[in-house]
């Protein structure tokens, strides 16, 4: 009787294995087709992985809770991530069609650029992804897609583009969102390494801190009165602390960069100051400090800034990237004619590439 049970169990197991083998006979090496182009399944895996990072940055996502336990736009996060990965595939085909329609497919040089871009990023792709993805798939999903996006952006908003942004519009945006300023800075807590001699303590005494603050206040007063220049003040301060490098710093930055890179008091004062005004005030950051800040005319800085092609591209991207991304995603979403290999796609899930660490923020990898 026991033998019959064992034989029956063995027969059932064999049947299950045969069924499983039958299911795996489908070609799972590709994820999508359109026309005569077939994309390897690794392209979907890359998109799935990158969609995790996109999901983590969506409004309302709580980094203290596992991403996959949350909802995004009313959908379970896992489903949102999968849909985003599929959208990325449609986006690839859409971009290719658009560039072909404009008579501007990627050139050999641009294809090489795409491969170089992918190669530089491949080194940081986690092993959890690499075990499912060939480097060629990563080049398609990341390198080629990125380069096609960049090219279509230029053909849309650049010189001669279908929605060319004029010099006047660039300048208006620049003057409305950028700051041009010069500054001197000194810590009020620690001496500069160059001014320490012998066995002196690095930490400033209260008296030394007060003297440094009074010095910077005097600089600001004289500069505002026209009896000293910022350059003179920087030279004097550099001599005082025996510094070899120039102590005067000049920056032309947008509001987001100022907020991200400087203490809050810098932007607050810049917003209050008139062009040419000089102020001295304390700042807090890694340590307490004092600043002499001069706000320059942003209109006067515009011509020189916009004459640099890299600056123009940065400005154009800041102006139009959100609009462009939204338009491409909408067009890709409506794009038809793509056949997905559901059998291959369902073999992968976000949970394979996502790790939640309760003690810190969520992480893909």
């Amino acid at each position: 009787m026991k033998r019959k049970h064992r034989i029956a169990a063995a027969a059932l197991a064999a049947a299950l294995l045969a069924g499983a083998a039958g299911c795996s006979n489908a070609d799972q090496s590709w994820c999508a087709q359109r026309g005569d182009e077939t994309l390897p399944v690794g392209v979907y895996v890359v998109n799935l992985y990158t969609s995790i990072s996109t999901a983590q940055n969506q409004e309302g996502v709580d980094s203290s809770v596992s991403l996959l336990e949350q909802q995004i736009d009313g959908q379970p996060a896992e489903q949102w991530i999968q849909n985003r990965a599929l959208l990325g595939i449609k986006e690839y085909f859409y971009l290719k069609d658009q560039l072909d329609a404009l008579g501007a497919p990627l050139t050999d040089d641009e294809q090489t650029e795409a491969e170089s871009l992918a190669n530089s990023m491949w080194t940081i792709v986690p092993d959890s992804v690499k075990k499912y993805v060939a480097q060629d798939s990563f080049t398609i999903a990341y390198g080629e897609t990125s380069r096609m996006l960049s090219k279509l952006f230029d053909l849309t908003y650049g010189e001669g583009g279908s929605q060319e942004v004029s010099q006047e519009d660039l300048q208006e945006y620049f003057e409305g969102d950028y700051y041009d300023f010069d500054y001197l800075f000194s810590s009020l807590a620690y001496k500069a390494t160059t001014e320490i001699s012998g066995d002196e303590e690095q930490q400033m005494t209260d008296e030394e801190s007060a003297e440094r603050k009074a010095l910077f206040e005097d600089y600001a007063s004289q500069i505002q009165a026209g009896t000293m220049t910022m350059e003179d003040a920087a030279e004097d301060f550099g001599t005082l602390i025996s510094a070899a490098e120039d102590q005067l710093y000049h920056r032309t930055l947008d509001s987001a960069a100022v907020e991200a890179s400087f203490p809050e008091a810098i932007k607050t004062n810049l917003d209050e100051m008139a062009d040419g005004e000089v102020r001295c005030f304390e700042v807090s950051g890694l340590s307490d400090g004092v600043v002499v800040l001069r706000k320059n005319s942003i209109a006067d800085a515009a011509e020189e800034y916009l004459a640099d092609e890299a600056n123009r591209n940065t400005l154009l991207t800041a102006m139009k990237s959100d609009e462009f991304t939204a338009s491409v995603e909408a067009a890709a979403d409506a794009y038809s004619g793509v056949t997905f290999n559901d059998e291959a796609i369902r073999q992968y899930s976000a949970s394979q590439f996502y790790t939640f660490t309760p003690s810190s923020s969520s992480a893909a990898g």
Side-chain angles (χ1 to χ4, degrees), residues 182-186 188 216-217 220 263 266 279-283 289-294:
D182 299 292
Y183 69 94
L184 307 175
F185 169 80
S186 173
L188 292 177
F216 269 52
E217 288 173 342
I266 296 292
R279 287 187 182 182
C280 177
F281 52 90
E282 293 184 49
V283 294
V290 61
V291 169
V292 173
L293 177 70
R294 179 179 66 192

Side-chain angles (χ1 to χ4, degrees), residues 62-139:
D62 184 352
S63 62
S64 69
V65 179
S66 172
L67 174 65
L68 301 184
E69 294 177 1
Q70 301 181 60
Q71 289 202 338
I72 302 174
D73 295 338
Q75 301 177 58
E78 176 97 30
Q79 187 61 56
W80 189 94
I81 291 166
Q82 291 172 353
N83 290 343
R84 185 82 185 187
L86 295 175
L87 180 65
I89 290 173
K90 292 176 73 175
E91 185 175 295
Y92 170 85
F93 286 117
Y94 166 75
L95 290 169
K96 222 172 184 188
D97 272 5
Q98 287 297 107
L99 291 178
D100 286 345
L102 292 169
L106 292 185
T107 64
D108 289 344
D109 287 344
E110 289 165 345
Q111 183 65 37
T112 299
E113 290 173 16
E115 292 169 4
S116 296
L117 177 62
N119 290 342
S120 67
M121 295 300 293
W122 179 250
T123 57
I124 64 173
V125 174
D127 290 340
S128 61
V129 176
K130 283 183 176 177
K131 70 179 181 179
Y132 299 112
V133 177
Q135 193 165 350
D136 287 349
S137 294
F138 188 73
T139 297

Side-chain angles (χ1 to χ4, degrees), residues 125-356:
V125 174
D127 290 340
S128 61
V129 176
K130 283 183 176 177
K131 70 179 181 179
Y132 299 112
V133 177
Q135 193 165 350
D136 287 349
S137 294
F138 188 73
T139 297
I140 294 170
Y142 180 76
E144 289 183 22
T145 300
S146 297
R147 190 62 188 88
M148 288 193 294
L149 277 167
S150 176
K151 186 166 189 176
L152 185 59
F153 182 90
D154 291 340
L155 291 171
T156 302
Y157 300 109
E159 185 176 355
S162 58
Q163 300 177 51
E164 179 180 354
V165 177
S166 68
Q167 178 77 8
E168 291 74 22
D169 286 343
L170 280 171
Q171 183 162 338
E172 181 180 353
Y173 182 86
F174 175 74
E175 293 182 16
D177 193 50
Y178 275 66
Y179 300 89
D180 188 83
F181 57 97
D182 299 292
Y183 69 94
L184 307 175
F185 169 80
S186 173
S187 172
L188 292 177
Y190 302 97
K191 300 174 187 177
T193 304
T194 51
E195 66 178 310
I196 298 174
S197 60
D199 296 326
E200 283 183 288
E201 290 289 333
Q202 184 180 6
Q203 191 166 351
M204 283 186 175
T205 64
D206 290 344
E207 182 180 356
E208 289 168 332
S209 178
E211 288 176 355
R212 185 60 51 84
K213 183 181 176 183
L215 176 66
F216 269 52
E217 288 173 342
D218 183 54
Y219 286 157
S221 178
Q222 291 195 61
I223 295 166
Q224 190 67 66
T227 58
M228 176 182 272
T229 65
M230 290 286 286
E231 289 75 16
D232 291 337
E235 183 177 353
D236 183 76
F237 180 53
T239 300
L240 176 68
I241 63 173
S242 303
E245 65 276 6
D246 191 357
Q247 296 301 299
L248 179 61
Y249 300 95
H250 174 255
R251 296 288 185 269
T252 306
L253 299 170
D254 66 11
S255 57
V258 174
E259 288 178 348
S261 305
F262 290 89
E264 183 180 354
I266 296 292
K267 186 175 183 300
T268 298
N269 277 273
L270 284 170
D271 286 337
E272 296 172 353
M273 294 165 69
D275 291 347
E277 185 178 347
V278 179
R279 287 187 182 182
C280 177
F281 52 90
E282 293 184 49
V283 294
S284 297
L286 296 177
S287 65
D288 293 335
V290 61
V291 169
V292 173
L293 177 70
R294 179 179 66 192
K295 182 179 181 179
N296 303 317
S297 166
I298 195 64
D300 291 345
E303 182 177 355
E304 180 179 353
Y305 186 89
L306 292 173
D308 183 281
E309 184 177 358
N311 288 342
R312 284 177 58 86
N313 290 337
T314 297
L315 198 61
L316 191 58
T317 299
M319 285 181 67
K320 293 295 185 179
S321 61
D322 288 347
E323 174 187 304
F324 178 70
T325 298
S327 68
V328 168
E329 288 181 357
D333 189 44
Y335 190 72
S336 60
V338 178
T339 300
F340 290 107
N341 185 353
D342 295 333
E343 182 99 11
I345 287 169
R346 70 168 62 102
Q347 303 305 309
Y348 304 95
S349 65
S351 59
Q352 292 173 262
F353 313 108
Y354 169 80
T355 301
F356 174 62

